[in-house]
C-alpha cells in the first residue's frame, strides 16, 4: 500500500489544513521525550500534513479521503501524552481535533462533550452550569483534551476516590467513527467501551463523549511533611482509607524530591523532608485535622485557605502525577521515570523494599489510587538515568519483586500497558480499520500477531529502530 499524500491533501483542501513545516513538526510531537529511549529514536518523526476538522462530518471526510489514498491518520488532542502516543510513526496525516470543543449537554451527574474540549474548559462549563466537575482529570488539566485523556490517559487527580478510567462507570458512552471506505458511526456503552477507550486512536476516532460528573468543591490544597519516608506512605494509605474524608489527591514524594525539584516549596522544607500533597474537600477539613493530630510524625506546612507563604505553590495537582517528572526534568535533564503498580494488599511492603533497594538512584513518587475498592499506589518513580541497560535491569528487578511495570519507554499499547494482548481492541481494529491506517505501529498485536510477552524488553520493532 503506497500512500498518495498529494491526492489526499487535494481532496481535503477545503478544510483547515496546516501548511507550515514548523507547525506540522510541532503537531507531530508529544511528551515522548520524557523517555531517553524514545527520545533517541523518535525525534525525527513528522507527519506529511495536518488537518483540523470542525465537525464529525469533516472527521468522516478526512477518514474517507485518507482511506481512499492509503494515508495513515494519527489523531491529536493536545499532544500532552507520553509514550509517543500521538506521534505519526509512519507519517501521513495528523488529524488535530482542536476545533471540536462543544460542551453539548449537561445533566445531573453527566456531561456530553466533543473530544477536543480541554479538561479545564469542560470543568468550567459544568461548574458554572450546576456546580459539578469531572470525577477525575489528568494533571495536564489545563492543556489536555477530554478525547486524549480517554484515548491515551489512565486516571489521575480524583483516582484516589473514584478509581481509574478503566473502572466500570467512569466513562458512560463513546461515539466512534471507523476508518473504512464508508466510515460508520458506532456508539459504545458499558463493557464494550473497553474496545475503544485507551486504544491510542488505533481502532476508531472518538467524536462524542459522555462522562459522569461529581459535585464540585473549592478543594483545600495541602502539603504535609514527615522525616521518615514510610511514615509518609503509611499516612497516605491510612488517609485514603478514611471513608468519611473526601479527598481528590494524595501524592507522596520521597526526600529530597520536594527540596531539589519543587522551587516554590524548597524554602519551606529540608533536604530530608518527605512530602505529601493533598486535596481535601472543605467540609472534610475538620476530619482531616483530627486525622493529622493522630499522626504526630506528620507536620502540616501549607494549606491553601490559610497560609503565610510569600509565593503560593500554584495548583497543587501540578506537583503530582507526571508533573513530578516534569519538574525534576527541568532541574536535572538526566531524570526519567518508571510507571509501577503497587497492588493491594502488598503495596506498602513492596514500596518499602523498592525504596530500600534503589534509593537514591531511584526516588519514590507515589500516587494513591483505588482499584476495586481497595487503596493502592501507582509509582511514577524518578530514575537517575545512566544507560538503557541499567534502566531495563531496574524494571526487571521490579517485576521480579512482584511490581507490575507499565513501560513508559515503549510506544506500543501493549508494552505501555499491562503487557497483554487486548483481544477486544485487536478484533475491533480488524473490523474498523481493515487497512491498518489508524495510528500505525502502536498496536503490537496487529503488527506482530505472534509476539510473546515473555519479556517486556524484546520487541523487534524498537530494537530495529536504532
Ligand atoms: C506533565 C504531564 C502530566 C501528566 N499527567 C497525567 C495524569 O495525571 N494522568 C494521565 O492519565 N495522563 C497524564 N499525562 C499524559 C497526558 O497528558 C494525558 O493522558 C492527557 O489527558 C492526554 O490528552 P491530550 O489531549 O494531550 O492527548 P494526546 O496526547 O493528543 O493524545 C493521546 C492519545 O489519544 C489519541 N487520541 C486523541 N484524541 C482522540 C480521539 N478523539 N479519538 C481517538 N484517539 C484520540 C491520540 O492519537 C494519542 O494516541 C501527563 C503528561 C504530562 C506531560
Amino acid at each position: 500500500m503506497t500512500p498518495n499524500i498529494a491526492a489526499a491533501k487535494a481532496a481535503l483542501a477545503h478544510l483547515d489544513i496546516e501548511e507550515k513545516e514548523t507547525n506540522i513538526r510541532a503537531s507531530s510531537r508529544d511528551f515522548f521525550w520524557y523517555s531517553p529511549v524514545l527520545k533517541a529514536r523518535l525525534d525525527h518523526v513528522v507527519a506529511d500534513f495536518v488537518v483540523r476538522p470542525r465537525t464529525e462530518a469533516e472527521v468522516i471526510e478526512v477518514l474517507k479521503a485518507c482511506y481512499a489514498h492509503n494515508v495513515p491518520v494519527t489523531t491529536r488532542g493536545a499532544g500532552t501524552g507520553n509514550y509517543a502516543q500521538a506521534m505519526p510513526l509512519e507519517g501521513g496525516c495528523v488529524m488535530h481535533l482542536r476545533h471540536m470543543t462543544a460542551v453539548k449537554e449537561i445533566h445531573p451527574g453527566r456531561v456530553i462533550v466533543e473530544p477536543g474540549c480541554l479538561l479545564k474548559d469542560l470543568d468550567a462549563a459544568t461548574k458554572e452550569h450546576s456546580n459539578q466537575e469531572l470525577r477525575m482529570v489528568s494533571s495536564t488539566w489545563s492543556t489536555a483534551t477530554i478525547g486524549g485523556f480517554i484515548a491515551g490517559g489512565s486516571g489521575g487527580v480524583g483516582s484516589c476516590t473514584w478509581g481509574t478510567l478503566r473502572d466500570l462507570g467512569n466513562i458512560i458512552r463513546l461515539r466512534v467513527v471507523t476508518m473504512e471506505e464508508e466510515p460508520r458511526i458506532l456508539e459504545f456503552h458499558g463493557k464494550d467501551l473497553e474496545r475503544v477507550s485507551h486504544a491510542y486512536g488505533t481502532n476508531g476516532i472518538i467524536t462524542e463523549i459522555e462522562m459522569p460528573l461529581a459535585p464540585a468543591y473549592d478543594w483545600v490544597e495541602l502539603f504535609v511533611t514527615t522525616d521518615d519516608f514510610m511514615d509518609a506512605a503509611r499516612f497516605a494509605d491510612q488517609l485514603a482509607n478514611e471513608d468519611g474524608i473526601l479527598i481528590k489527591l494524595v501524592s507522596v514524594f520521597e526526600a529530597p524530591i520536594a527540596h531539589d525539584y519543587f522551587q516554590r516549596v524548597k524554602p519551606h522544607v529540608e533536604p530530608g523532608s518527605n512530602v505529601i500533597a493533598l486535596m481535601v474537600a472543605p467540609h472534610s477539613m475538620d476530619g482531616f485535622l483530627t486525622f493529622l493530630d493522630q499522626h504526630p510524625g506528620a507536620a502540616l506546612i501549607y494549606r491553601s485557605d490559610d497560609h503565610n507563604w510569600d509565593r503560593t505553590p500554584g495548583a497543587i495537582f501540578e506537583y503530582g502525577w507526571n508533573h513530578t517528572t516534569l519538574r525534576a526534568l527541568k532541574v536535572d535533564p538526566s531524570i526519567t521515570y518508571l510507571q509501577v503498580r503497587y497492588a493491594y494488599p502488598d503495596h506498602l511492603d513492596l514500596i518499602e523494599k523498592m525504596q530500600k533497594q534503589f534509593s537514591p538512584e531511584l526516588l519514590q513518587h507515589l500516587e494513591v489510587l483505588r482499584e476495586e475498592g481497595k487503596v493502592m499506589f501507582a509509582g511514577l518513580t524518578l530514575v537517575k538515568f545512566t544507560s538503557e541497560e541499567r534502566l531495563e535491569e531496574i524494571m526487571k528487578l521490579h517485576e521480579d519483586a512482584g511490581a507490575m511495570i507499565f513501560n513508559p519507554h515503549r510506544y506500543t499499547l501493549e508494552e505501555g500497558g499491562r503487557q497483554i494482548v487486548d483481544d477486544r481492541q485487536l478484533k475491533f481494529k480488524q473490523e474498523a480499520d481493515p487497512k491498518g491506517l489508524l495510528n500505525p505501529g502502536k498496536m503490537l498485536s496487529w503488527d506482530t500477531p505472534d509476539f510473546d510477552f515473555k519479556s517486556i524488553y524484546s520487541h523487534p520493532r524498537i530494537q530495529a529502530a536504532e
Side-chain angles (χ1 to χ4, degrees), residues 80-83 85 119 136-138 140 144-156 159 164-166 171 197-200 321 339 413:
T80 68
N82 308 106
Y83 302 91
Q85 292 169 338
L119 295 167
M136 75 196 67
V137 292
S138 166
T140 45
T145 66
I146 181 72
F149 185 44
I150 284 164
S154 56
S159 288
T164 59
L165 284 171
R166 64 195 296 279
I171 302 171
S197 61
H198 200 82
Y200 293 5
W321 292 91
Q339 290 204 299
L413 265 166

Side-chain angles (χ1 to χ4, degrees), residues 113 182 320 322 324 335 413 461:
V113 62
E182 289 299 331
N322 234 343
T324 315
I335 297 283
L413 265 166
R461 181 188 274 270

Side-chain angles (χ1 to χ4, degrees), residues 153 260 405:
D260 286 3
I405 292 278

Side-chain angles (χ1 to χ4, degrees), residues 29-31 33-34 74-82 84-87 95 97 115-116 118-119 137-140 143-157 165 196 199-202 204-207 209 320-326 380 439 442:
R29 298 165 77 79
D30 61 11
F31 281 68
W33 50 266
Y34 267 37
T74 301
T75 305
R76 182 177 184 84
T80 68
N82 308 106
Q85 292 169 338
M87 293 179 67
M95 181 165 66
L97 300 184
L118 297 185
L119 295 167
V137 292
S138 166
S139 66
T140 45
T143 50
T145 66
I146 181 72
F149 185 44
I150 284 164
S154 56
V157 188
L165 284 171
V196 286
Y200 293 5
T202 56
I205 307 309
I206 300 162
T207 53
I209 297 159
W321 292 91
N322 234 343
H323 271 79
T324 315
T325 320
L326 185 60
L380 286 86
N439 206 354
K442 305 291 171 60

Side-chain angles (χ1 to χ4, degrees), residues 106-127:
I106 305 171
H107 300 278
R110 64 193 176 92
V111 63
I112 300 173
V113 62
E114 287 187 334
C117 185
L118 297 185
L119 295 167
K120 76 163 183 206
D121 294 340
L122 182 51
D123 265 356
T126 55
K127 194 164 183 182

